[in-house]
Amino acid sequence: MITIGVTGGIAAYKTIDVASTLKKLGHDIQIVMTKNATNFVSPLSFASIVKHPVISDMFLDDKNGEILHIELAKKSDLLLIAPATANFIGKLRAGIADDFLSTLVLACKKPIIIAPAMNSNMYSNTIVTENIAYLKSKGFIFIEPDVGLLACGDVGIGKLPSPETIVRLVVNTINSRKIKQDLIGKTYLITAGPTIEALDPMRYISNYSTGKMGYALSEMAQKRGANVILISGPTNLIAPAGVTKIDVKSAMDMYHAVLKYFDQSDVVIKSAAVADFRPKHFSDQKIKKGDDTFILELVKNPDILKTLGDTKKRQILVGFAAESTDLIANAQTKLKSKNLDLIVANNITNDGAGFGLTTNIVTIIDKNGNIDQIPKMSKDDLANIILDKTIAMSID
Ligand code: C5P
């Protein structure tokens, strides 16, 4: 059974579609509404779709003498709260249980997905963002709201995502329950994609990284229960549902973003292909053709991973090494100089390895000197092997 909690926001009408689609997919659905939610949508609309009476009263008489919120928490495979208001999120963060839905959440040990929807100023208020960050660290799964025209007339972040997006995350989460949930309570900071280093308003220097490995790692870590922060350079990929994605462009942007989230992370996997250099000067105006030769001066970017290695306290650090010669020796040198726990080395000249492909062939080396040669496999399967090794290193 899936239980859907509806709180008092204008987007509550969209949840009818979510309930209807999940019902058509064969799920048994129970709707719980807060008192305020019943002002936006009639419980009868939901009840006629899911074929169960809606619960909105804390003190319902149960004919079997059961304590309903405890029973429902046990019966549910997943709890979805859509839309979730700022008020409801604040209550959860504080552990307040003063109505049926908030009591149910506290009693529920199954995956809980929260889809916030509110005015953009409310959503970006630090009180709300801190509440969300706290709840994520406790294992709650959040769906990022969409950007668009809001009910209040403002344009910004805060719209409830489409019913299809919500349904996809619910179904994936239920399916992933069959996957071992061994990363619950852990925060994984994963970087992906290339960085781009601007020369002028029209041009930049970059590399061929597509971000596939980092996105596969993010998706698998999320499915295994981790709270995932994905810091991504520009790619064409869609962020896996349930992952917090931070978009960056340059190596300097990535540096600041990674440092910002480092303290709250348990594991950092740096699969991004970070540019080693950036143009010394950014030209505000388009650079003219001019002479037959053009000399570009570059300056070094900070080595993000080395900075983390120099300052880390408890975090497990995983680096990538794309090499074309002396794979093992070069990777071992990087492992030591950047103070890493693991390094994933690939010879980019091998068929089936490297940028843009769905497969990879790597050698994983750990700080204890173990060298594991992994045969050619999909980036998804490889992601799971890398995640397994991060757990093994945490136990060491
Ligand atoms: O030294 P090299 O660039 O080969 O190391 C690759 C590893 O270091 C990758 O994990 C990459 O994400 C990270 N890196 C970094 N900051 C840089 C360059 C590389 O974090 N400026």
Side-chain angles (χ1 to χ4, degrees):
M1 168 179 278
I2 297 172
T3 297
I4 304 180
V6 187
T7 72
I10 184 74
Y13 74 93
K14 291 191 191 168
T15 309
I16 296 179
D17 256 3
V18 174
S20 165
T21 309
L22 287 170
K23 177 84 186 162
K24 282 183 197 143
L25 290 174
H27 295 283
D28 190 16
I29 311 286
Q30 173 65 57
I31 303 285
V32 177
M33 296 177 83
T34 62
K35 279 270 171 302
N36 285 339
T38 61
N39 290 323
F40 287 92
V41 179
S42 154
L44 192 60
S45 307
F46 278 112
S48 27
I49 279 170
V50 305
K51 317 283 183 228
H52 285 301
V54 168
I55 304 173
S56 56
D57 188 350
M58 182 74 217
F59 301 104
L60 278 183
D61 277 342
D62 187 83
K63 21 188 188 325
N64 305 324
E66 289 172 340
I67 303 170
L68 206 53
H69 62 274
I70 306 289
E71 280 313 306
L72 189 56
K74 284 186 192 152
K75 260 195 265 175
S76 306
D77 300 305
L78 180 143
L79 180 53
L80 165 70
I81 300 173
T85 58
N87 175 59
F88 193 75
I89 291 168
K91 269 179 26 177
L92 288 191
R93 197 253 157 99
I96 293 173
D98 64 350
D99 61 6
F100 191 92
L101 186 57
S102 49
T103 316
L104 176 69
V105 172
L106 283 193
C108 184
K109 296 195 128 181
K110 307 292 172 47
I112 303 177
I113 298 180
I114 301 186
M118 64 195 76
N119 166 272
S120 48
N121 288 342
M122 292 173 77
Y123 185 71
S124 43
N125 187 310
T126 47
I127 298 173
V128 175
T129 52
E130 280 173 17
N131 286 345
I132 291 176
Y134 176 82
L135 290 168
K136 278 183 183 171
S137 75
K138 298 290 170 207
F140 288 80
I141 304 165
F142 276 78
I143 313 184
E144 180 98 333
D146 279 351
V147 174
L149 179 63
L150 305 171
C152 54
D154 287 356
V155 175
I157 189 162
K159 277 171 84 76
L160 191 71
S162 67
E164 299 79 64
T165 307
I166 298 175
V167 167
R168 202 180 324 124
L169 180 58
V170 168
V171 171
N172 282 348
T173 307
I174 288 187
N175 290 342
S176 70
R177 290 281 292 171
K178 293 165 203 150
I179 299 172
K180 55 188 169 184
Q181 294 295 291
D182 52 354
L183 304 183
I184 286 182
K186 299 270 181 225
T187 296
Y188 274 64
L189 176 61
I190 299 173
T191 68
T195 64
I196 60 173
E197 310 297 325
L199 281 168
D200 69 17
M202 296 178 64
R203 302 174 177 112
Y204 59 77
I205 301 172
S206 190
N207 58 64
Y208 289 116
S209 169
T210 56
K212 283 192 179 126
M213 192 66 237
Y215 279 62
L217 281 159
S218 302
E219 183 177 346
M220 295 305 153
Q222 197 278 337
K223 284 188 171 159
R224 288 168 66 166
N227 169 33
V228 178
I229 303 166
L230 167 63
I231 299 181
S232 175
T235 72
N236 292 321
L237 305 175
I238 296 170
V243 160
T244 304
K245 185 181 169 215
I246 318 285
D247 288 308
V248 294
K249 288 199 170 107
S250 65
M252 286 310 288
D253 295 343
M254 186 171 278
Y255 175 80
H256 292 301
V258 167
L259 288 193
K260 181 170 168 198
Y261 291 98
F262 185 47
D263 277 352
Q264 53 179 280
S265 305
D266 299 296
V267 177
V268 181
I269 308 182
K270 284 230 68 236
S271 55
V274 185
D276 292 324
F277 293 93
R278 65 180 181 277
K280 184 168 184 188
H281 300 291
F282 170 76
S283 165
D284 289 341
Q285 306 298 325
K286 183 183 168 194
I287 299 168
K288 295 282 179 212
K289 273 197 211 67
D291 300 334
D292 285 347
T293 55
F294 174 71
I295 295 174
L296 178 65
E297 204 176 346
L298 300 173
V299 289
K300 209 155 197 184
N301 276 323
D303 189 318
I304 307 169
L305 198 48
K306 181 156 178 16
T307 310
L308 303 185
D310 290 343
T311 54
K312 78 165 177 184
K313 294 185 188 81
R314 59 186 181 89
Q315 286 89 348
I316 300 294
L317 283 191
V318 184
F320 275 69
E323 306 290 343
S324 47
T325 53
D326 296 328
L327 182 73
I328 309 279
N330 282 331
Q332 277 169 327
T333 308
K334 278 178 197 170
L335 179 93
K336 284 208 180 63
S337 68
K338 301 191 189 202
N339 192 22
L340 308 179
D341 297 273
L342 290 169
I343 193 152
V344 182
N346 65 340
N347 185 332
I348 49 170
T349 60
N350 275 349
D351 274 354
F355 290 162
L357 302 176
T358 50
T359 56
N360 214 344
I361 310 167
V362 302
T363 302
I364 304 180
I365 306 171
D366 71 24
K367 66 172 178 195
N368 303 323
N370 299 309
I371 300 178
D372 203 353
Q373 284 190 328
I374 313 286
K376 178 170 160 182
M377 64 173 64
S378 75
K379 286 184 174 171
D380 283 354
D381 289 340
L382 177 59
N384 276 319
I385 291 181
I386 296 169
L387 296 172
D388 289 344
K389 290 196 181 279
T390 62
I391 302 175
M393 294 310 288
S394 321
I395 300 166
D396 261 14

